[in-house]
Every structure is written in C-alpha cells, then in structure tokens.
Coordinates of all heavy atoms in Angstrom, one line a residue:
M19 N 0.8 -1.2 0.0 CA 0.0 0.0 0.0 C 0.9 1.2 0.0 O 1.9 1.3 0.7 CB -0.9 0.0 1.2 CG -1.9 1.1 1.3 SD -3.2 0.7 2.4 CE -4.4 1.8 1.8
S20 N 0.5 2.2 -0.7 CA 1.2 3.5 -0.9 C 1.1 4.3 0.4 O 0.0 4.4 1.0 CB 0.7 4.2 -2.1 OG 1.3 5.5 -2.2
N21 N 2.1 5.1 0.7 CA 2.1 6.0 1.8 C 1.6 7.4 1.4 O 1.5 8.3 2.2 CB 3.4 6.2 2.5 CG 3.8 4.9 3.3 OD1 2.9 4.2 3.8 ND2 5.1 4.6 3.4
E22 N 1.5 7.6 0.1 CA 1.1 8.8 -0.5 C -0.4 9.0 -0.5 O -1.2 8.0 -0.4 CB 1.6 8.9 -1.9 CG 3.1 8.9 -2.0 CD 3.6 9.0 -3.5 OE1 2.8 9.5 -4.3 OE2 4.7 8.6 -3.7
A23 N -0.9 10.2 -0.5 CA -2.3 10.5 -0.6 C -2.8 10.1 -2.0 O -2.1 10.1 -2.9 CB -2.6 12.0 -0.4
P24 N -4.1 9.7 -2.0 CA -4.7 9.3 -3.3 C -4.8 10.6 -4.3 O -4.8 11.7 -3.8 CB -6.1 8.8 -3.0 CG -6.4 9.5 -1.7 CD -5.1 9.6 -1.0
G25 N -4.9 10.3 -5.5 CA -5.1 11.3 -6.5 C -6.6 11.7 -6.5 O -7.4 11.0 -6.0
Y26 N -6.9 12.8 -7.1 CA -8.3 13.2 -7.1 C -8.5 14.1 -8.4 O -7.6 14.6 -8.9 CB -8.7 14.0 -5.9 CG -8.0 15.3 -5.8 CD1 -8.5 16.5 -6.4 CD2 -6.7 15.4 -5.1 CE1 -7.8 17.7 -6.3 CE2 -6.1 16.6 -5.0 CZ -6.6 17.7 -5.6 OH -5.9 18.9 -5.6
I27 N -9.8 14.1 -8.8 CA -10.2 15.1 -9.8 C -11.5 15.7 -9.2 O -12.4 15.0 -8.6 CB -10.6 14.4 -11.1 CG1 -9.3 13.9 -11.8 CG2 -11.3 15.3 -12.0 CD1 -9.5 13.2 -13.1
I28 N -11.6 17.0 -9.4 CA -12.8 17.7 -9.0 C -13.4 18.3 -10.2 O -12.7 19.0 -11.0 CB -12.5 18.8 -8.0 CG1 -11.9 18.3 -6.7 CG2 -13.8 19.6 -7.7 CD1 -11.3 19.3 -5.8
Q29 N -14.7 18.0 -10.5 CA -15.4 18.6 -11.6 C -16.5 19.5 -11.1 O -17.2 19.1 -10.1 CB -16.1 17.5 -12.5 CG -15.1 16.7 -13.3 CD -15.9 15.7 -14.2 OE1 -17.0 15.3 -13.9 NE2 -15.2 15.2 -15.2
I30 N -16.7 20.6 -11.7 CA -17.8 21.5 -11.3 C -18.6 21.8 -12.6 O -18.0 22.2 -13.6 CB -17.3 22.8 -10.6 CG1 -16.6 22.4 -9.3 CG2 -18.5 23.7 -10.4 CD1 -16.1 23.6 -8.5
N31 N -19.8 21.4 -12.5 CA -20.7 21.5 -13.7 C -20.1 20.8 -14.9 O -20.0 21.3 -16.0 CB -21.0 23.0 -14.1 CG -22.0 23.6 -13.1 OD1 -22.6 22.9 -12.3 ND2 -22.0 24.9 -13.1
D32 N -19.6 19.6 -14.6 CA -19.0 18.7 -15.6 C -17.7 19.2 -16.3 O -17.2 18.7 -17.3 CB -20.0 18.3 -16.7 CG -21.1 17.5 -16.2 OD1 -20.9 16.6 -15.3 OD2 -22.3 17.7 -16.6
K33 N -17.1 20.2 -15.7 CA -15.8 20.7 -16.2 C -14.7 20.4 -15.1 O -14.9 20.8 -13.9 CB -15.8 22.2 -16.5 CG -16.8 22.5 -17.7 CD -16.8 23.9 -18.0 CE -17.8 24.2 -19.1 NZ -18.0 25.6 -19.3
V34 N -13.6 19.8 -15.5 CA -12.5 19.5 -14.5 C -11.9 20.9 -14.1 O -11.6 21.7 -14.9 CB -11.5 18.6 -15.2 CG1 -10.3 18.4 -14.3 CG2 -12.1 17.3 -15.6
L35 N -11.6 21.0 -12.8 CA -10.9 22.1 -12.3 C -9.6 22.2 -13.0 O -8.8 21.3 -13.1 CB -10.6 21.9 -10.8 CG -11.1 23.0 -9.8 CD1 -12.6 23.3 -10.0 CD2 -10.8 22.6 -8.4
D36 N -9.3 23.3 -13.6 CA -8.0 23.4 -14.4 C -6.8 23.6 -13.4 O -7.0 23.8 -12.2 CB -8.1 24.6 -15.4 CG -8.1 26.0 -14.8 OD1 -7.5 26.2 -13.7 OD2 -8.7 26.9 -15.4
I37 N -5.7 23.4 -14.0 CA -4.4 23.3 -13.1 C -4.2 24.6 -12.4 O -3.7 24.7 -11.3 CB -3.2 23.0 -14.0 CG1 -2.0 22.6 -13.1 CG2 -2.9 24.1 -15.0 CD1 -2.1 21.4 -12.3
G38 N -4.7 25.7 -13.0 CA -4.5 27.0 -12.3 C -5.3 27.1 -11.0 O -4.8 27.7 -10.1
V39 N -6.4 26.5 -10.9 CA -7.2 26.5 -9.7 C -6.8 25.3 -8.8 O -6.7 25.4 -7.6 CB -8.7 26.5 -10.0 CG1 -9.5 26.3 -8.8 CG2 -9.1 27.7 -10.8
S40 N -6.6 24.1 -9.4 CA -6.3 22.9 -8.6 C -5.1 23.1 -7.8 O -4.9 22.4 -6.8 CB -6.3 21.7 -9.5 OG -5.2 21.7 -10.4
Q41 N -4.1 23.9 -8.2 CA -2.9 24.1 -7.4 C -3.2 24.8 -6.0 O -2.4 24.7 -5.1 CB -1.9 25.0 -8.1 CG -2.3 26.4 -8.3 CD -1.3 27.2 -9.1 OE1 -0.2 26.8 -9.3 NE2 -1.7 28.4 -9.5
F42 N -4.4 25.3 -5.9 CA -4.8 26.0 -4.6 C -5.5 25.0 -3.6 O -5.9 25.4 -2.5 CB -5.7 27.2 -4.9 CG -5.1 28.3 -5.6 CD1 -5.4 28.7 -6.8 CD2 -4.1 29.0 -4.9 CE1 -4.8 29.7 -7.5 CE2 -3.4 30.1 -5.5 CZ -3.8 30.4 -6.8
V43 N -5.8 23.8 -4.1 CA -6.6 22.8 -3.3 C -5.7 22.3 -2.1 O -4.6 21.9 -2.3 CB -7.1 21.6 -4.1 CG1 -7.7 20.6 -3.2 CG2 -8.0 22.1 -5.2
L44 N -6.2 22.5 -0.9 CA -5.5 22.1 0.3 C -6.1 20.7 0.8 O -5.3 19.9 1.3 CB -5.7 23.1 1.5 CG -5.0 24.4 1.3 CD1 -5.4 25.4 2.4 CD2 -3.5 24.2 1.2
S45 N -7.4 20.5 0.7 CA -7.9 19.2 1.1 C -9.3 19.0 0.4 O -10.0 19.9 0.0 CB -8.2 19.2 2.6 OG -9.2 20.1 3.0
V46 N -9.6 17.7 0.3 CA -10.8 17.2 -0.4 C -11.4 16.1 0.5 O -10.7 15.2 0.9 CB -10.6 16.6 -1.8 CG1 -11.9 16.2 -2.4 CG2 -9.9 17.6 -2.7
E47 N -12.6 16.3 1.0 CA -13.3 15.3 1.8 C -14.6 14.9 1.2 O -15.3 15.8 0.6 CB -13.6 15.8 3.2 CG -12.4 16.2 4.0 CD -12.8 16.7 5.4 OE1 -13.8 16.2 6.0 OE2 -12.1 17.7 5.8
Y48 N -15.0 13.6 1.3 CA -16.3 13.2 0.8 C -16.8 12.2 1.8 O -16.2 11.2 2.1 CB -16.2 12.5 -0.6 CG -17.6 12.5 -1.2 CD1 -18.0 13.5 -2.1 CD2 -18.5 11.4 -1.0 CE1 -19.2 13.4 -2.7 CE2 -19.7 11.4 -1.6 CZ -20.1 12.4 -2.4 OH -21.3 12.3 -3.0
E49 N -18.0 12.5 2.4 CA -18.6 11.6 3.4 C -20.0 11.1 2.8 O -20.7 11.9 2.3 CB -18.9 12.3 4.7 CG -17.6 12.8 5.4 CD -18.0 13.5 6.7 OE1 -18.8 13.0 7.5 OE2 -17.4 14.5 6.9
S50 N -20.2 9.8 3.0 CA -21.4 9.2 2.5 C -21.9 8.2 3.5 O -21.1 7.4 4.0 CB -21.2 8.5 1.1 OG -22.3 8.0 0.6
A51 N -23.2 8.2 3.8 CA -23.8 7.2 4.7 C -25.2 6.9 4.2 O -25.9 7.8 3.7 CB -23.8 7.7 6.1
D52 N -25.6 5.6 4.3 CA -27.0 5.2 3.9 C -28.0 6.1 4.6 O -27.9 6.2 5.8 CB -27.2 3.7 4.2 CG -26.4 2.8 3.2 OD1 -26.0 3.4 2.2 OD2 -26.2 1.7 3.5
G53 N -29.0 6.6 3.9 CA -30.0 7.3 4.5 C -29.7 8.7 4.9 O -30.5 9.4 5.5
V54 N -28.5 9.2 4.7 CA -28.0 10.5 5.0 C -27.5 11.2 3.8 O -26.9 10.6 2.9 CB -26.9 10.5 6.1 CG1 -26.5 11.9 6.5 CG2 -27.5 9.7 7.3
A55 N -27.7 12.5 3.6 CA -27.1 13.2 2.5 C -25.6 13.1 2.4 O -25.0 13.2 3.5 CB -27.6 14.7 2.5
D56 N -25.1 12.9 1.3 CA -23.6 13.0 1.1 C -23.1 14.4 1.3 O -23.8 15.3 1.1 CB -23.2 12.5 -0.3 CG -23.5 11.1 -0.6 OD1 -24.0 10.4 0.3 OD2 -23.2 10.6 -1.7
V57 N -21.9 14.5 1.8 CA -21.3 15.8 2.1 C -19.9 15.8 1.5 O -19.1 14.9 1.7 CB -21.2 16.1 3.6 CG1 -20.5 17.4 3.8 CG2 -22.5 16.1 4.3
A58 N -19.6 16.9 0.7 CA -18.3 17.1 0.1 C -17.8 18.4 0.6 O -18.5 19.4 0.7 CB -18.3 17.1 -1.4
K59 N -16.5 18.4 1.0 CA -15.8 19.7 1.4 C -14.5 19.8 0.7 O -13.7 18.9 0.7 CB -15.6 19.7 3.0 CG -16.9 19.7 3.8 CD -16.6 19.6 5.3 CE -17.8 19.5 6.1 NZ -17.6 19.4 7.5
V60 N -14.3 20.9 0.1 CA -13.0 21.2 -0.5 C -12.5 22.5 0.1 O -13.2 23.5 0.1 CB -13.2 21.4 -2.0 CG1 -11.9 21.8 -2.7 CG2 -13.8 20.1 -2.7
V61 N -11.3 22.5 0.5 CA -10.7 23.7 1.1 C -9.6 24.2 0.1 O -8.7 23.4 -0.3 CB -10.0 23.5 2.5 CG1 -9.3 24.7 3.0 CG2 -11.1 23.0 3.5
L62 N -9.7 25.5 -0.3 CA -8.8 26.1 -1.2 C -8.0 27.2 -0.5 O -8.6 28.0 0.2 CB -9.5 26.7 -2.4 CG -10.4 25.8 -3.2 CD1 -11.4 26.6 -4.0 CD2 -9.6 24.9 -4.1
M63 N -6.7 27.3 -0.8 CA -6.0 28.5 -0.5 C -6.6 29.7 -1.3 O -7.0 29.5 -2.4 CB -4.5 28.4 -0.9 CG -3.7 27.4 -0.1 SD -1.9 27.5 -0.6 CE -2.0 26.9 -2.2
N64 N -6.7 30.8 -0.7 CA -7.3 31.9 -1.3 C -6.5 33.2 -1.2 O -7.0 34.1 -0.5 CB -8.8 32.1 -0.8 CG -9.6 32.9 -1.6 OD1 -9.2 33.4 -2.7 ND2 -10.9 33.2 -1.2
P65 N -5.3 33.2 -1.8 CA -4.5 34.4 -1.6 C -5.2 35.7 -2.1 O -5.7 35.7 -3.2 CB -3.2 34.1 -2.5 CG -3.6 33.0 -3.4 CD -4.8 32.3 -2.7
D66 N -5.1 36.7 -1.3 CA -5.8 38.0 -1.6 C -7.3 37.8 -2.0 O -7.8 38.6 -2.7 CB -5.0 38.7 -2.8 CG -3.6 39.0 -2.4 OD1 -3.4 39.3 -1.2 OD2 -2.7 38.9 -3.2
F67 N -7.9 36.7 -1.6 CA -9.3 36.4 -1.8 C -9.6 36.4 -3.3 O -10.7 36.8 -3.7 CB -10.2 37.3 -1.0 CG -10.1 37.1 0.5 CD1 -9.3 38.0 1.2 CD2 -10.6 36.0 1.1 CE1 -9.2 37.8 2.6 CE2 -10.5 35.8 2.4 CZ -9.8 36.7 3.2
I68 N -8.7 35.9 -4.2 CA -8.9 35.9 -5.6 C -10.0 34.9 -6.1 O -10.5 35.1 -7.1 CB -7.6 35.7 -6.4 CG1 -7.0 34.3 -6.0 CG2 -6.6 36.8 -6.2 CD1 -5.8 33.9 -6.8
L69 N -10.3 33.9 -5.3 CA -11.3 32.9 -5.7 C -12.6 33.2 -5.1 O -13.6 32.5 -5.5 CB -10.8 31.5 -5.2 CG -9.5 31.0 -5.7 CD1 -9.2 29.7 -5.1 CD2 -9.6 30.8 -7.2
T70 N -12.8 34.2 -4.3 CA -14.0 34.5 -3.6 C -15.2 34.6 -4.5 O -16.3 34.1 -4.2 CB -13.9 35.7 -2.7 OG1 -12.8 35.5 -1.8 CG2 -15.1 36.1 -1.9
D71 N -15.1 35.3 -5.6 CA -16.3 35.6 -6.4 C -16.3 34.8 -7.7 O -17.1 35.2 -8.6 CB -16.4 37.1 -6.7 CG -16.6 37.9 -5.4 OD1 -17.4 37.4 -4.6 OD2 -16.1 39.0 -5.3
K72 N -15.5 33.8 -7.8 CA -15.5 33.0 -9.1 C -16.8 32.3 -9.2 O -17.3 31.7 -8.3 CB -14.3 32.0 -9.1 CG -13.0 32.6 -9.0 CD -12.7 33.4 -10.3 CE -11.3 34.0 -10.2 NZ -11.0 34.8 -11.3
K73 N -17.4 32.4 -10.4 CA -18.7 31.8 -10.7 C -18.7 30.3 -10.6 O -19.8 29.7 -10.2 CB -19.2 32.2 -12.1 CG -19.5 33.7 -12.2 CD -20.0 34.0 -13.5 CE -20.3 35.5 -13.6 NZ -20.9 36.0 -14.8
F74 N -17.6 29.6 -10.8 CA -17.7 28.1 -10.8 C -17.9 27.6 -9.4 O -18.3 26.4 -9.2 CB -16.4 27.5 -11.4 CG -15.2 27.7 -10.6 CD1 -14.7 26.8 -9.7 CD2 -14.4 28.9 -10.8 CE1 -13.6 27.0 -9.0 CE2 -13.2 29.1 -10.1 CZ -12.8 28.1 -9.2
I75 N -17.6 28.3 -8.3 CA -17.8 27.8 -7.0 C -19.0 28.4 -6.3 O -19.1 28.5 -5.1 CB -16.5 28.0 -6.1 CG1 -16.0 29.4 -6.0 CG2 -15.4 27.1 -6.6 CD1 -14.9 29.6 -5.0
Q76 N -20.0 28.9 -7.1 CA -21.2 29.5 -6.5 C -22.2 28.4 -6.1 O -22.2 27.3 -6.7 CB -21.8 30.4 -7.5 CG -21.0 31.6 -7.9 CD -20.7 32.5 -6.7 OE1 -21.5 32.7 -5.9 NE2 -19.4 32.9 -6.7
P77 N -22.9 28.6 -5.0 CA -24.0 27.7 -4.6 C -24.9 27.4 -5.8 O -25.2 28.3 -6.6 CB -24.7 28.5 -3.5 CG -23.6 29.3 -2.9 CD -22.8 29.8 -4.1
G78 N -25.4 26.2 -5.9 CA -26.2 25.7 -7.0 C -25.5 24.9 -8.0 O -26.1 24.1 -8.7
N79 N -24.2 25.1 -8.2 CA -23.4 24.4 -9.1 C -23.2 22.9 -8.6 O -23.1 22.7 -7.4 CB -22.0 25.0 -9.4 CG -22.2 26.3 -10.2 OD1 -23.2 26.6 -10.8 ND2 -21.1 27.1 -10.2
E80 N -23.1 22.0 -9.5 CA -22.8 20.6 -9.1 C -21.3 20.3 -9.1 O -20.6 20.8 -10.0 CB -23.5 19.6 -10.1 CG -25.0 19.6 -10.0 CD -25.6 18.5 -10.8 OE1 -24.9 17.9 -11.6 OE2 -26.8 18.2 -10.6
M81 N -20.9 19.6 -8.1 CA -19.5 19.2 -7.9 C -19.4 17.7 -7.8 O -20.1 17.0 -7.0 CB -18.9 19.8 -6.6 CG -17.5 19.5 -6.4 SD -16.7 20.6 -5.0 CE -17.8 20.2 -3.6
S82 N -18.5 17.1 -8.7 CA -18.3 15.7 -8.7 C -16.9 15.4 -8.2 O -15.9 16.2 -8.5 CB -18.4 15.1 -10.1 OG -19.7 15.3 -10.6
I83 N -16.7 14.3 -7.5 CA -15.4 14.0 -6.9 C -15.0 12.6 -7.4 O -15.8 11.7 -7.4 CB -15.4 14.0 -5.4 CG1 -16.0 15.3 -4.8 CG2 -14.1 13.7 -4.8 CD1 -15.1 16.5 -4.8
Y84 N -13.7 12.5 -7.8 CA -13.1 11.2 -8.2 C -11.8 11.0 -7.3 O -11.1 12.0 -7.1 CB -12.7 11.2 -9.6 CG -13.8 11.4 -10.6 CD1 -14.4 12.6 -10.8 CD2 -14.3 10.3 -11.3 CE1 -15.5 12.7 -11.7 CE2 -15.4 10.4 -12.2 CZ -16.0 11.6 -12.4 OH -17.0 11.7 -13.3
F85 N -11.7 9.8 -6.7 CA -10.5 9.5 -5.9 C -9.8 8.2 -6.4 O -10.5 7.4 -7.0 CB -10.8 9.3 -4.5 CG -11.1 10.5 -3.6 CD1 -12.3 10.6 -3.0 CD2 -10.1 11.5 -3.5 CE1 -12.5 11.7 -2.2 CE2 -10.4 12.6 -2.7 CZ -11.6 12.7 -2.1
G86 N -8.6 8.0 -6.1 CA -7.9 6.7 -6.4 C -6.4 6.8 -6.4 O -5.8 7.9 -6.3
Y87 N -5.8 5.6 -6.4 CA -4.3 5.6 -6.4 C -3.8 5.3 -7.8 O -3.2 6.1 -8.4 CB -3.8 4.5 -5.4 CG -3.9 4.9 -4.0 CD1 -5.0 4.5 -3.2 CD2 -3.0 5.7 -3.4 CE1 -5.1 5.0 -1.9 CE2 -3.1 6.2 -2.1 CZ -4.2 5.8 -1.4 OH -4.2 6.2 -0.1
D88 N -4.2 4.1 -8.4 CA -3.7 3.8 -9.7 C -4.7 4.3 -10.8 O -4.3 4.8 -11.8 CB -3.6 2.3 -9.9 CG -2.4 1.8 -9.0 OD1 -1.5 2.5 -8.8 OD2 -2.6 0.6 -8.5
S89 N -6.0 4.2 -10.5 CA -7.0 4.8 -11.4 C -8.0 5.5 -10.6 O -8.3 5.1 -9.4 CB -7.6 3.7 -12.3 OG -8.3 2.8 -11.4
L90 N -8.6 6.5 -11.1 CA -9.5 7.4 -10.4 C -10.9 6.8 -10.5 O -11.3 6.5 -11.7 CB -9.4 8.8 -10.8 CG -8.1 9.5 -10.6 CD1 -8.1 10.9 -11.1 CD2 -7.6 9.4 -9.2
E91 N -11.7 6.7 -9.4 CA -13.0 6.2 -9.5 C -14.0 7.3 -9.0 O -13.7 8.1 -8.1 CB -13.2 5.0 -8.5 CG -12.4 3.8 -9.0 CD -12.6 2.6 -8.0 OE1 -13.8 2.5 -7.4 OE2 -11.7 1.8 -7.9
F92 N -15.2 7.3 -9.7 CA -16.2 8.3 -9.3 C -16.7 8.0 -7.9 O -17.0 6.8 -7.6 CB -17.4 8.2 -10.3 CG -18.5 9.1 -9.9 CD1 -18.5 10.4 -10.1 CD2 -19.7 8.5 -9.4 CE1 -19.6 11.2 -9.8 CE2 -20.8 9.3 -9.1 CZ -20.7 10.7 -9.2
I93 N -16.7 9.0 -7.0 CA -17.1 8.8 -5.6 C -18.5 9.3 -5.4 O -19.3 8.7 -4.8 CB -16.1 9.5 -4.7 CG1 -14.7 9.0 -4.8 CG2 -16.6 9.4 -3.2 CD1 -14.6 7.5 -4.5
G94 N -18.8 10.5 -6.0 CA -20.1 11.0 -5.8 C -20.3 12.4 -6.4 O -19.3 13.0 -6.8
R95 N -21.5 12.9 -6.4 CA -21.8 14.2 -6.9 C -22.7 14.9 -5.8 O -23.6 14.3 -5.2 CB -22.6 14.1 -8.2 CG -23.0 15.4 -8.8 CD -23.7 15.3 -10.1 NE -22.6 14.9 -11.1 CZ -22.7 13.8 -11.9 NH1 -23.7 13.0 -11.8 NH2 -21.7 13.5 -12.7
V96 N -22.4 16.2 -5.6 CA -23.2 17.0 -4.7 C -23.5 18.4 -5.3 O -22.9 18.7 -6.3 CB -22.4 17.3 -3.4 CG1 -22.1 16.0 -2.6 CG2 -21.1 18.0 -3.6
K97 N -24.5 19.1 -4.8 CA -24.8 20.4 -5.2 C -24.1 21.4 -4.2 O -24.3 21.2 -3.0 CB -26.3 20.6 -5.2 CG -26.6 22.0 -5.9 CD -28.1 22.1 -6.2 CE -28.3 21.3 -7.5 NZ -29.4 21.7 -8.3
I98 N -23.3 22.3 -4.7 CA -22.7 23.3 -3.8 C -23.8 24.1 -3.0 O -24.6 24.7 -3.7 CB -21.7 24.2 -4.6 CG1 -20.6 23.4 -5.2 CG2 -21.2 25.3 -3.6 CD1 -19.7 24.2 -6.1
A99 N -23.7 24.0 -1.7 CA -24.6 24.7 -0.9 C -24.1 26.0 -0.3 O -24.9 27.0 -0.2 CB -25.1 23.8 0.3
K100 N -22.8 26.1 0.0 CA -22.3 27.3 0.5 C -20.8 27.3 0.4 O -20.1 26.3 0.1 CB -22.6 27.4 2.0 CG -22.2 26.2 2.9 CD -22.7 26.3 4.3 CE -22.6 25.0 5.0 NZ -23.3 25.0 6.3
K101 N -20.2 28.5 0.5 CA -18.8 28.7 0.5 C -18.5 29.6 1.7 O -19.2 30.5 2.0 CB -18.2 29.2 -0.8 CG -18.8 30.5 -1.2 CD -18.2 30.9 -2.6 CE -18.7 32.2 -3.0 NZ -18.1 32.7 -4.2
R102 N -17.4 29.3 2.4 CA -17.1 30.0 3.6 C -15.7 30.6 3.4 O -14.7 29.9 3.1 CB -17.1 29.1 4.8 CG -18.3 28.5 5.1 CD -18.2 27.6 6.4 NE -19.3 26.7 6.5 CZ -19.2 25.5 7.0 NH1 -18.1 25.1 7.6 NH2 -20.2 24.7 7.1
K103 N -15.5 31.9 3.7 CA -14.2 32.5 3.7 C -13.7 32.3 5.1 O -14.4 32.3 6.1 CB -14.3 34.0 3.5 CG -14.8 34.4 2.2 CD -14.9 35.9 2.1 CE -15.9 36.4 1.0 NZ -16.1 37.8 1.1
K104 N -12.4 31.9 5.2 CA -11.8 31.8 6.5 C -10.6 32.7 6.6 O -9.7 32.6 5.8 CB -11.3 30.3 6.7 CG -12.5 29.4 6.7 CD -12.3 28.2 7.5 CE -13.5 27.4 7.5 NZ -13.5 26.3 8.5
W105 N -10.7 33.6 7.5 CA -9.6 34.6 7.8 C -8.6 33.9 8.7 O -9.0 33.4 9.7 CB -10.2 35.9 8.4 CG -10.8 36.7 7.3 CD1 -10.3 37.6 6.5 CD2 -12.2 36.6 7.0 NE1 -11.2 38.2 5.7 CE2 -12.4 37.6 5.9 CE3 -13.3 35.9 7.4 CZ2 -13.7 37.8 5.3 CZ3 -14.5 36.1 6.8 CH2 -14.7 37.0 5.8
P106 N -7.4 34.0 8.3 CA -6.3 33.3 9.1 C -5.8 34.1 10.3 O -6.1 35.3 10.4 CB -5.2 33.1 8.1 CG -5.4 34.3 7.2 CD -6.8 34.6 7.1
A107 N -5.0 33.4 11.1 CA -4.2 34.1 12.1 C -3.2 34.9 11.3 O -2.9 34.6 10.2 CB -3.6 33.1 13.0
A108 N -2.6 35.8 12.0 CA -1.6 36.7 11.3 C -0.5 35.8 10.7 O 0.0 34.9 11.3 CB -0.9 37.6 12.4
G109 N -0.2 36.1 9.4 CA 0.9 35.4 8.7 C 0.4 34.2 8.0 O 1.2 33.6 7.2
D110 N -0.8 33.7 8.2 CA -1.3 32.5 7.5 C -2.1 32.9 6.2 O -2.5 34.0 6.1 CB -2.1 31.6 8.4 CG -1.3 31.0 9.5 OD1 -0.1 30.8 9.3 OD2 -1.9 30.6 10.5
M111 N -2.3 31.9 5.3 CA -3.0 32.1 4.1 C -4.5 32.1 4.3 O -5.0 31.1 5.0 CB -2.6 31.0 3.1 CG -3.3 31.0 1.8 SD -2.8 32.3 0.7 CE -1.1 31.8 0.3
P112 N -5.3 33.0 3.8 CA -6.7 32.9 3.8 C -7.2 31.7 3.0 O -6.5 31.3 2.0 CB -7.2 34.2 3.2 CG -6.0 35.0 2.8 CD -4.8 34.2 3.1
T113 N -8.3 31.1 3.4 CA -8.8 30.0 2.7 C -10.3 30.2 2.4 O -11.0 31.0 3.0 CB -8.6 28.6 3.5 OG1 -9.3 28.8 4.7 CG2 -7.2 28.4 3.7
S114 N -10.8 29.3 1.5 CA -12.2 29.3 1.2 C -12.6 27.8 1.3 O -11.9 26.9 0.7 CB -12.6 29.8 -0.2 OG -12.5 31.2 -0.2
E115 N -13.7 27.5 2.0 CA -14.2 26.1 2.0 C -15.5 26.0 1.2 O -16.4 26.9 1.4 CB -14.5 25.8 3.5 CG -15.0 24.3 3.6 CD -15.3 24.0 5.1 OE1 -16.2 24.7 5.7 OE2 -14.7 23.1 5.6
I116 N -15.6 25.1 0.3 CA -16.7 24.8 -0.5 C -17.4 23.6 0.1 O -16.8 22.6 0.3 CB -16.4 24.5 -2.0 CG1 -15.6 25.7 -2.5 CG2 -17.6 24.3 -2.8 CD1 -14.9 25.3 -3.8
V117 N -18.7 23.7 0.4 CA -19.5 22.6 1.0 C -20.7 22.3 0.1 O -21.4 23.2 -0.3 CB -20.0 23.0 2.4 CG1 -20.8 21.8 3.0 CG2 -18.8 23.4 3.3
G118 N -20.8 21.0 -0.2 CA -21.9 20.6 -1.0 C -22.7 19.4 -0.4 O -22.0 18.6 0.3
Y119 N -23.9 19.2 -0.7 CA -24.8 18.1 -0.2 C -25.4 17.4 -1.4 O -25.7 18.1 -2.4 CB -25.8 18.6 0.8 CG -25.3 19.3 1.9 CD1 -25.2 20.7 2.0 CD2 -24.8 18.6 3.0 CE1 -24.7 21.4 3.1 CE2 -24.3 19.3 4.1 CZ -24.2 20.7 4.1 OH -23.7 21.4 5.2

C-alpha cells in the first residue's frame, strides 16, 4: 500500500478544475452514509481572496469527486450549498471552504 495521498479530480458543472485552480486545493473530503445526504468539502488557499467571487464555486453548481491511487473512481456528486471564507491568524494564508450536499 502506498504512503502517499490518493489522486483526485474535482469537476464542477462537468468541467474539470483546471491546473490554475487545482494548485490551490488544500484538502478534499467526501462523506457518504446510507439514509443521510452525502457531504463534500473542498478547502482552497485563497491568496488575496482571488477565488471568492469566481462563478464556478457558486451555490447551486454541481461538484463531482473522483479519488484513487492507480486509477480514479467516481465517488459522488453534490450540489454546492455554501462557501465560507476563513480569515487566518496573522501570517497565514486565507482559505475558502466549499461545502456541498
């Protein structure tokens, strides 16, 4: 088993996040349970809040997640419900969290 993190692809409205945006991804989470809504969370570095008003991360858009080591498998799809700006402690990078259900 590999000690490295799995690879991932994030699609929003069936378009893969381009390399310019994907370089800002800090973490990707996907939770699924029977009888409960799936939840996806993506945390992005947001230097100078440049991603804050981008149309692709607006509530209502669909986000699909793929994970894997050797080959990527479809994990699930959610509708973006909210995005949260996170102001850091002094000297840290601001972030934005995208949450979908």
Side-chain angles (χ1 to χ4, degrees):
M19 184 161 199
S20 173
N21 289 331
E22 296 180 22
Y26 65 87
I27 290 177
I28 300 169
Q29 288 182 338
I30 297 182
N31 291 341
D32 295 321
K33 295 181 182 172
V34 175
L35 235 54
D36 68 32
I37 192 70
V39 174
S40 63
Q41 69 181 348
F42 293 113
V43 174
L44 293 173
S45 67
V46 180
E47 296 179 38
Y48 198 94
E49 295 180 45
S50 180
D52 289 341
V54 179
D56 292 358
V57 177
K59 295 179 185 176
V60 176
V61 177
L62 303 163
M63 290 184 294
N64 196 1
D66 297 325
F67 294 102
I68 61 173
L69 299 176
T70 300
D71 295 324
K72 297 293 184 188
K73 291 183 180 184
F74 70 92
I75 56 173
Q76 295 301 316
N79 289 345
E80 288 189 349
M81 180 168 59
S82 300
I83 308 285
Y84 297 77
F85 283 124
Y87 285 98
D88 294 327
S89 63
L90 300 178
E91 295 182 30
F92 175 73
I93 299 300
R95 176 175 292 127
V96 297
K97 188 166 281 204
I98 297 174
K100 57 188 164 186
K101 60 183 181 176
R102 299 180 198 153
K103 298 177 199 171
K104 298 213 176 187
W105 285 270
D110 289 340
M111 176 74 65
T113 61
S114 286
E115 180 182 59
I116 303 167
V117 180
Y119 303 97

